[in-house]
Amino acid sequence: MQLSIDLTGRDVLVTGTHAAARQAVRRYQAAGAVVHRLISPYDAGQPAQVPQGTFLVAAVEDGQPGWASLLDRCREAGIPVAAEPAAGPAGHVTLVGGGPGTSDLLTVAAVKALRDADVVFYDRLAPYQELPLLTSAELVDVGKKPGHHKVSQSDIEKLMVESALAGNNVVRLKGGDPYVFGRGGEEVAACVAAGVKVQVVSGVTSAISVPAAAGIPVTHREVSHMFTVVSGHAPLTEKEHRHLAGLGGTIVVLMGIGTLHQLAAGLRRAGMRPDMPMAVVERGYRPGQRTTIADLGTIASAAAGCSNPAVLVIGEVVRVAEANRGHAHAADLDMLAASLLGS
Ligand code: SAH
């Protein structure tokens, strides 16, 4: 059970060693409490005293024997005791996939890693606005710097590694999944090269969740049984256009606004029908989320006003969303499937 209490100005005694209690101390301070500390259950060989006026005891499970009797005395005196997990071993990096931009789509492991962090280096595509509610860690924006220059990838890696070597639990919070166009592999390699322990927490990728935000399933029985996720960072080659068009499945493009024109033209040259449905989903799960639906032949002009971040979807599944919108009749989908099978 979870209880919320206003701790503003309240005297809270946090028990436990500095290493184990450092995050609990920050959390209670962030909640406005006046934090007092006991780092050992004994004081000069005698049982330690609980300060007068203690409103709550936050007992960090630091593994020291001897806390139990002190906590029993508190309870007998009517002071509530809250059990607090100890901070994890210091000095490692966790690469966390933050999902498409809403804290609702963070995983339980992501929430735990954020709670345990001393420092969070975050990108603008991660759900950064909600971070102060999820962690007491120092928050460092590496998506943009004053002057609006991005911190370079090698500087991000250096910052992460140096912070972990200084003894911090570092979370590198990234948009979507760290291993989908997220340079996660490079960041893991940088940690490994520096001898820093590193782990990866998978996230909900925008490649699937942003189409879903617009009602588009990336696969649908008898409509599409595969999807290919492509980076639109640079234009594709003619060979790639031909292979993609030849697959006949759903094509999902990230970072594709800048090359949308070339992609649509390339797929047309590779023989894809001009009436193949296409969607541009901008700012998924965020204020201003917008879906533009057109087809391969018309998308370049229809999406002229679209901007990043956006996910492009090319394929018949776009019609599933249209069929599901408003009147979700299975019959519509059956008709769609039948028309596709016949075509
Ligand atoms: N690792 C990320 C992708 C990083 S590349 C993931 O798995 O989602 C960045 C691209 O992701 C953006 O250019 C855009 O295409 C897409 N993207 C991420 N979040 C998005 C959002 N909320 N809405 C629309 N597109 C998004």
Side-chain angles (χ1 to χ4, degrees), residues 97 99-102 123-126 174-183 203-211 230-232 253-257 281-286 289 307-312:
T102 165
D123 280 343
R124 285 303 177 105
L125 285 175
K174 308 175 74 71
D177 183 275
Y179 283 163
V180 179
F181 307 134
R183 308 193 75 167
V204 174
T205 180
S206 65
I208 298 168
S209 61
V210 170
V230 181
S231 163
V253 189
L254 305 194
M255 300 176 278
I257 292 292
V281 188
E282 297 167 88
R283 297 178 293 276
Y285 301 92
R286 294 164 190 221
Q289 177 180 319
S307 59
N308 280 313
V311 172
L312 321 181

Short mmCIF file of all heavy atoms in Angstrom, two decimals, residues 97 99-102 123-126 174-183 203-211 230-232 253-257 281-286 289 307-312, ligand 1:
data_model
loop_
_atom_site.label_atom_id
_atom_site.label_comp_id
_atom_site.label_asym_id
_atom_site.label_seq_id
_atom_site.Cartn_x
_atom_site.Cartn_y
_atom_site.Cartn_z
N GLY A 97 15.47 2.80 -21.71
CA GLY A 97 14.55 3.21 -22.77
C GLY A 97 13.36 3.89 -22.11
O GLY A 97 12.68 3.31 -21.27
N GLY A 99 10.61 5.14 -23.61
CA GLY A 99 9.35 5.12 -24.34
C GLY A 99 9.16 6.41 -25.14
O GLY A 99 10.06 7.26 -25.20
N PRO A 100 7.97 6.58 -25.73
CA PRO A 100 7.80 7.65 -26.71
C PRO A 100 7.54 9.03 -26.12
O PRO A 100 7.30 9.97 -26.88
CB PRO A 100 6.59 7.17 -27.51
CG PRO A 100 5.80 6.37 -26.55
CD PRO A 100 6.81 5.68 -25.67
N GLY A 101 7.56 9.18 -24.82
CA GLY A 101 7.46 10.55 -24.32
C GLY A 101 6.42 10.78 -23.25
O GLY A 101 6.20 11.92 -22.85
N THR A 102 5.77 9.72 -22.77
CA THR A 102 4.85 9.86 -21.64
C THR A 102 5.29 8.90 -20.56
O THR A 102 5.68 7.77 -20.86
CB THR A 102 3.39 9.56 -22.06
OG1 THR A 102 2.62 9.38 -20.88
CG2 THR A 102 3.27 8.30 -22.89
N ASP A 123 17.53 12.71 -22.87
CA ASP A 123 17.28 13.26 -24.21
C ASP A 123 15.90 13.91 -24.22
O ASP A 123 15.03 13.54 -23.44
CB ASP A 123 17.20 12.13 -25.24
CG ASP A 123 18.58 11.66 -25.65
OD1 ASP A 123 19.54 12.38 -25.40
OD2 ASP A 123 18.65 10.55 -26.22
N ARG A 124 15.69 14.78 -25.18
CA ARG A 124 14.40 15.46 -25.28
C ARG A 124 13.26 14.55 -25.73
O ARG A 124 12.09 14.89 -25.57
CB ARG A 124 14.51 16.64 -26.25
CG ARG A 124 15.25 17.82 -25.65
CD ARG A 124 14.53 18.26 -24.38
NE ARG A 124 15.22 19.33 -23.71
CZ ARG A 124 14.81 20.60 -23.73
NH1 ARG A 124 13.72 20.94 -24.38
NH2 ARG A 124 15.47 21.50 -23.07
N LEU A 125 13.57 13.39 -26.31
CA LEU A 125 12.48 12.50 -26.73
C LEU A 125 11.98 11.63 -25.58
O LEU A 125 10.93 11.01 -25.66
CB LEU A 125 12.92 11.61 -27.90
CG LEU A 125 13.00 12.32 -29.26
CD1 LEU A 125 13.57 11.40 -30.33
CD2 LEU A 125 11.64 12.85 -29.70
N ALA A 126 12.75 11.56 -24.50
CA ALA A 126 12.33 10.79 -23.33
C ALA A 126 11.30 11.62 -22.55
O ALA A 126 11.19 12.83 -22.77
CB ALA A 126 13.55 10.51 -22.46
N LYS A 174 16.84 7.49 -22.58
CA LYS A 174 16.74 7.76 -24.02
C LYS A 174 15.29 7.60 -24.47
O LYS A 174 14.52 6.91 -23.83
CB LYS A 174 17.63 6.75 -24.77
CG LYS A 174 19.05 6.75 -24.23
CD LYS A 174 19.90 5.68 -24.86
CE LYS A 174 20.27 6.04 -26.26
NZ LYS A 174 21.24 7.14 -26.32
N GLY A 175 14.97 8.23 -25.57
CA GLY A 175 13.61 8.07 -26.11
C GLY A 175 13.41 6.65 -26.66
O GLY A 175 14.35 6.05 -27.18
N GLY A 176 12.21 6.13 -26.52
CA GLY A 176 11.88 4.83 -27.12
C GLY A 176 12.70 3.71 -26.54
O GLY A 176 12.82 3.57 -25.32
N ASP A 177 13.31 2.90 -27.39
CA ASP A 177 14.16 1.79 -26.97
C ASP A 177 15.62 2.18 -27.27
O ASP A 177 15.91 2.71 -28.35
CB ASP A 177 13.78 0.52 -27.75
CG ASP A 177 14.61 -0.66 -27.29
OD1 ASP A 177 15.74 -0.84 -27.80
OD2 ASP A 177 14.15 -1.37 -26.38
N PRO A 178 16.54 1.87 -26.32
CA PRO A 178 17.93 2.31 -26.52
C PRO A 178 18.61 1.70 -27.75
O PRO A 178 19.56 2.26 -28.27
CB PRO A 178 18.64 1.82 -25.25
CG PRO A 178 17.57 1.51 -24.26
CD PRO A 178 16.33 1.20 -25.03
N TYR A 179 18.11 0.53 -28.17
CA TYR A 179 18.77 -0.17 -29.28
C TYR A 179 18.09 0.05 -30.62
O TYR A 179 18.44 -0.60 -31.60
CB TYR A 179 18.85 -1.67 -28.97
CG TYR A 179 19.95 -2.05 -27.97
CD1 TYR A 179 19.92 -3.29 -27.34
CD2 TYR A 179 21.01 -1.20 -27.70
CE1 TYR A 179 20.92 -3.66 -26.45
CE2 TYR A 179 22.00 -1.56 -26.81
CZ TYR A 179 21.97 -2.79 -26.19
OH TYR A 179 22.96 -3.16 -25.31
N VAL A 180 17.08 0.91 -30.68
CA VAL A 180 16.45 1.23 -31.97
C VAL A 180 16.87 2.65 -32.36
O VAL A 180 16.36 3.62 -31.79
CB VAL A 180 14.91 1.12 -31.91
CG1 VAL A 180 14.30 1.46 -33.26
CG2 VAL A 180 14.49 -0.28 -31.48
N PHE A 181 17.81 2.76 -33.25
CA PHE A 181 18.36 4.06 -33.68
C PHE A 181 18.69 4.96 -32.50
O PHE A 181 18.51 6.17 -32.57
CB PHE A 181 17.39 4.78 -34.62
CG PHE A 181 16.94 3.96 -35.78
CD1 PHE A 181 15.60 3.90 -36.14
CD2 PHE A 181 17.86 3.20 -36.50
CE1 PHE A 181 15.18 3.12 -37.21
CE2 PHE A 181 17.44 2.43 -37.58
CZ PHE A 181 16.11 2.38 -37.93
N GLY A 182 19.13 4.35 -31.41
CA GLY A 182 19.34 5.15 -30.20
C GLY A 182 20.80 5.26 -29.81
O GLY A 182 21.11 5.85 -28.79
N ARG A 183 21.69 4.69 -30.59
CA ARG A 183 23.13 4.69 -30.31
C ARG A 183 23.44 4.01 -28.98
O ARG A 183 24.47 4.27 -28.36
CB ARG A 183 23.68 6.12 -30.35
CG ARG A 183 23.30 6.81 -31.65
CD ARG A 183 24.03 8.08 -31.91
NE ARG A 183 25.40 7.85 -32.33
CZ ARG A 183 26.19 8.79 -32.85
NH1 ARG A 183 25.73 10.01 -33.01
NH2 ARG A 183 27.40 8.52 -33.21
N GLY A 203 12.97 -0.33 -23.81
CA GLY A 203 11.85 0.61 -23.71
C GLY A 203 10.84 0.36 -24.81
O GLY A 203 11.07 -0.43 -25.73
N VAL A 204 9.71 1.04 -24.70
CA VAL A 204 8.66 0.93 -25.72
C VAL A 204 9.08 1.80 -26.90
O VAL A 204 9.21 3.02 -26.76
CB VAL A 204 7.32 1.44 -25.14
CG1 VAL A 204 6.25 1.47 -26.22
CG2 VAL A 204 6.88 0.56 -23.97
N THR A 205 9.33 1.18 -28.03
CA THR A 205 9.84 1.96 -29.17
C THR A 205 8.73 2.77 -29.85
O THR A 205 7.58 2.31 -29.95
CB THR A 205 10.55 1.06 -30.19
OG1 THR A 205 11.03 1.88 -31.26
CG2 THR A 205 9.63 -0.01 -30.77
N SER A 206 9.11 3.94 -30.34
CA SER A 206 8.15 4.77 -31.07
C SER A 206 7.74 4.11 -32.38
O SER A 206 6.68 4.41 -32.92
CB SER A 206 8.73 6.16 -31.33
OG SER A 206 9.84 6.06 -32.20
N ALA A 207 8.58 3.18 -32.87
CA ALA A 207 8.28 2.52 -34.15
C ALA A 207 6.94 1.79 -34.09
O ALA A 207 6.26 1.66 -35.11
CB ALA A 207 9.40 1.55 -34.51
N ILE A 208 6.57 1.30 -32.93
CA ILE A 208 5.30 0.58 -32.77
C ILE A 208 4.28 1.44 -32.03
O ILE A 208 3.11 1.49 -32.40
CB ILE A 208 5.53 -0.75 -32.02
CG1 ILE A 208 6.48 -1.64 -32.83
CG2 ILE A 208 4.21 -1.48 -31.76
CD1 ILE A 208 7.00 -2.84 -32.08
N SER A 209 4.74 2.14 -31.00
CA SER A 209 3.78 2.84 -30.13
C SER A 209 3.23 4.12 -30.76
O SER A 209 2.09 4.48 -30.47
CB SER A 209 4.41 3.15 -28.78
OG SER A 209 5.54 3.99 -28.92
N VAL A 210 4.01 4.79 -31.60
CA VAL A 210 3.49 6.04 -32.19
C VAL A 210 2.42 5.73 -33.25
O VAL A 210 1.35 6.34 -33.24
CB VAL A 210 4.63 6.96 -32.68
CG1 VAL A 210 4.11 8.12 -33.50
CG2 VAL A 210 5.41 7.48 -31.46
N PRO A 211 2.66 4.75 -34.16
CA PRO A 211 1.53 4.35 -35.02
C PRO A 211 0.31 3.96 -34.19
O PRO A 211 -0.83 4.33 -34.51
CB PRO A 211 2.09 3.16 -35.81
CG PRO A 211 3.57 3.40 -35.84
CD PRO A 211 3.91 4.07 -34.54
N VAL A 230 12.74 1.47 -40.63
CA VAL A 230 13.80 2.07 -41.43
C VAL A 230 14.16 3.44 -40.86
O VAL A 230 13.28 4.17 -40.39
CB VAL A 230 13.28 2.26 -42.88
CG1 VAL A 230 14.35 2.86 -43.78
CG2 VAL A 230 12.78 0.96 -43.46
N SER A 231 15.43 3.78 -40.92
CA SER A 231 15.84 5.14 -40.57
C SER A 231 15.78 6.02 -41.82
O SER A 231 16.31 5.65 -42.87
CB SER A 231 17.28 5.15 -40.03
OG SER A 231 17.78 6.48 -40.09
N GLY A 232 15.15 7.18 -41.69
CA GLY A 232 15.09 8.11 -42.80
C GLY A 232 16.13 9.20 -42.66
O GLY A 232 16.07 10.22 -43.34
N VAL A 253 8.96 4.35 -40.78
CA VAL A 253 10.17 5.17 -40.94
C VAL A 253 10.30 6.13 -39.76
O VAL A 253 9.37 6.89 -39.46
CB VAL A 253 10.14 5.98 -42.25
CG1 VAL A 253 11.50 6.64 -42.51
CG2 VAL A 253 9.75 5.09 -43.43
N LEU A 254 11.45 6.09 -39.10
CA LEU A 254 11.77 7.07 -38.06
C LEU A 254 12.70 8.11 -38.66
O LEU A 254 13.46 7.81 -39.58
CB LEU A 254 12.45 6.39 -36.85
CG LEU A 254 11.72 5.23 -36.19
CD1 LEU A 254 12.36 4.92 -34.83
CD2 LEU A 254 10.25 5.49 -35.99
N MET A 255 12.69 9.28 -38.09
CA MET A 255 13.55 10.39 -38.56
C MET A 255 13.35 10.61 -40.06
O MET A 255 14.29 10.88 -40.80
CB MET A 255 15.04 10.09 -38.29
CG MET A 255 15.35 9.89 -36.82
SD MET A 255 17.06 9.41 -36.53
CE MET A 255 16.99 7.65 -36.86
N GLY A 256 12.11 10.49 -40.52
CA GLY A 256 11.88 10.44 -41.96
C GLY A 256 11.32 11.70 -42.59
O GLY A 256 11.06 11.71 -43.80
N ILE A 257 11.11 12.76 -41.80
CA ILE A 257 10.48 13.95 -42.38
C ILE A 257 11.37 14.59 -43.46
O ILE A 257 10.91 14.94 -44.54
CB ILE A 257 10.13 14.98 -41.28
CG1 ILE A 257 9.01 14.43 -40.39
CG2 ILE A 257 9.73 16.33 -41.87
CD1 ILE A 257 7.66 14.29 -41.07
N VAL A 281 2.60 10.45 -38.37
CA VAL A 281 2.11 10.69 -37.01
C VAL A 281 3.15 11.54 -36.28
O VAL A 281 4.25 11.09 -36.02
CB VAL A 281 1.87 9.37 -36.24
CG1 VAL A 281 1.18 9.65 -34.91
CG2 VAL A 281 1.06 8.38 -37.09
N GLU A 282 2.77 12.77 -35.99
CA GLU A 282 3.69 13.71 -35.33
C GLU A 282 3.41 13.77 -33.84
O GLU A 282 2.26 13.69 -33.41
CB GLU A 282 3.49 15.13 -35.89
CG GLU A 282 3.79 15.30 -37.35
CD GLU A 282 3.25 16.65 -37.85
OE1 GLU A 282 3.99 17.64 -37.75
OE2 GLU A 282 2.09 16.68 -38.32
N ARG A 283 4.49 13.93 -33.07
CA ARG A 283 4.40 14.18 -31.62
C ARG A 283 3.50 13.18 -30.89
O ARG A 283 2.58 13.57 -30.15
CB ARG A 283 3.90 15.61 -31.34
CG ARG A 283 4.84 16.69 -31.85
CD ARG A 283 4.30 18.08 -31.61
NE ARG A 283 3.10 18.36 -32.41
CZ ARG A 283 3.12 18.79 -33.67
NH1 ARG A 283 4.26 18.97 -34.29
NH2 ARG A 283 2.00 19.01 -34.32
N GLY A 284 3.74 11.89 -31.12
CA GLY A 284 2.92 10.86 -30.48
C GLY A 284 2.91 10.98 -28.96
O GLY A 284 3.95 11.21 -28.37
N TYR A 285 1.75 10.87 -28.35
CA TYR A 285 1.56 10.88 -26.88
C TYR A 285 1.87 12.24 -26.26
O TYR A 285 2.06 12.33 -25.06
CB TYR A 285 2.40 9.81 -26.18
CG TYR A 285 2.07 8.42 -26.66
CD1 TYR A 285 2.77 7.85 -27.71
CD2 TYR A 285 1.04 7.70 -26.07
CE1 TYR A 285 2.45 6.59 -28.17
CE2 TYR A 285 0.72 6.43 -26.52
CZ TYR A 285 1.43 5.89 -27.57
OH TYR A 285 1.10 4.63 -28.02
N ARG A 286 1.97 13.26 -27.08
CA ARG A 286 2.29 14.58 -26.53
C ARG A 286 1.25 15.58 -26.95
O ARG A 286 0.52 15.35 -27.91
CB ARG A 286 3.62 15.06 -27.08
CG ARG A 286 4.72 14.19 -26.61
CD ARG A 286 5.90 14.45 -27.47
NE ARG A 286 6.87 13.44 -27.16
CZ ARG A 286 8.14 13.67 -27.05
NH1 ARG A 286 8.58 14.89 -27.23
NH2 ARG A 286 8.96 12.71 -26.77
N GLN A 289 -0.33 16.11 -30.70
CA GLN A 289 -0.25 14.91 -31.54
C GLN A 289 -1.15 15.09 -32.77
O GLN A 289 -2.27 15.58 -32.65
CB GLN A 289 -0.71 13.67 -30.76
CG GLN A 289 -0.71 12.41 -31.61
CD GLN A 289 -1.17 11.19 -30.82
OE1 GLN A 289 -0.80 11.01 -29.67
NE2 GLN A 289 -1.99 10.36 -31.43
N SER A 307 6.43 18.16 -39.11
CA SER A 307 7.78 18.34 -38.57
C SER A 307 8.14 17.21 -37.61
O SER A 307 7.27 16.45 -37.18
CB SER A 307 7.87 19.69 -37.87
OG SER A 307 6.92 19.74 -36.82
N ASN A 308 9.41 17.12 -37.27
CA ASN A 308 9.90 16.11 -36.33
C ASN A 308 9.50 16.47 -34.90
O ASN A 308 9.34 17.64 -34.61
CB ASN A 308 11.42 16.03 -36.42
CG ASN A 308 11.85 15.21 -37.61
OD1 ASN A 308 11.32 14.12 -37.83
ND2 ASN A 308 12.79 15.73 -38.39
N PRO A 309 9.35 15.52 -33.99
CA PRO A 309 9.45 14.09 -34.23
C PRO A 309 8.18 13.53 -34.86
O PRO A 309 7.08 13.89 -34.48
CB PRO A 309 9.64 13.52 -32.82
CG PRO A 309 8.91 14.47 -31.93
CD PRO A 309 9.05 15.82 -32.58
N ALA A 310 8.38 12.64 -35.81
CA ALA A 310 7.24 12.02 -36.48
C ALA A 310 7.61 10.62 -36.94
O ALA A 310 8.78 10.35 -37.23
CB ALA A 310 6.81 12.86 -37.67
N VAL A 311 6.63 9.75 -36.97
CA VAL A 311 6.82 8.40 -37.50
C VAL A 311 5.96 8.27 -38.75
O VAL A 311 4.79 8.67 -38.75
CB VAL A 311 6.42 7.34 -36.44
CG1 VAL A 311 6.44 5.93 -37.04
CG2 VAL A 311 7.35 7.41 -35.23
N LEU A 312 6.57 7.75 -39.84
CA LEU A 312 5.82 7.53 -41.08
C LEU A 312 5.43 6.06 -41.15
O LEU A 312 6.23 5.20 -40.79
CB LEU A 312 6.66 7.84 -42.32
CG LEU A 312 7.60 9.04 -42.32
CD1 LEU A 312 8.30 9.15 -43.67
CD2 LEU A 312 6.83 10.30 -42.02
N1 SAH B 1 15.13 4.97 -29.91
C1 SAH B 1 13.96 5.66 -30.38
C2 SAH B 1 14.14 6.28 -31.75
C3 SAH B 1 15.22 7.32 -31.81
S1 SAH B 1 15.31 8.10 -33.38
C4 SAH B 1 12.77 4.71 -30.35
O1 SAH B 1 12.93 3.49 -30.19
O2 SAH B 1 11.65 5.21 -30.46
C5 SAH B 1 14.25 9.48 -33.17
C6 SAH B 1 12.98 9.34 -33.97
O3 SAH B 1 12.04 8.57 -33.25
C7 SAH B 1 12.28 10.62 -34.26
O4 SAH B 1 12.84 11.32 -35.36
C8 SAH B 1 10.90 10.11 -34.61
O5 SAH B 1 10.90 9.53 -35.89
C9 SAH B 1 10.74 8.98 -33.62
N2 SAH B 1 10.00 9.39 -32.40
C10 SAH B 1 10.40 9.20 -31.13
N3 SAH B 1 9.45 9.63 -30.26
C11 SAH B 1 8.44 10.08 -31.01
C12 SAH B 1 7.15 10.64 -30.71
N4 SAH B 1 6.73 10.80 -29.45
N5 SAH B 1 6.34 10.97 -31.74
C13 SAH B 1 6.73 10.80 -33.02
N6 SAH B 1 7.93 10.29 -33.35
C14 SAH B 1 8.76 9.92 -32.37
#
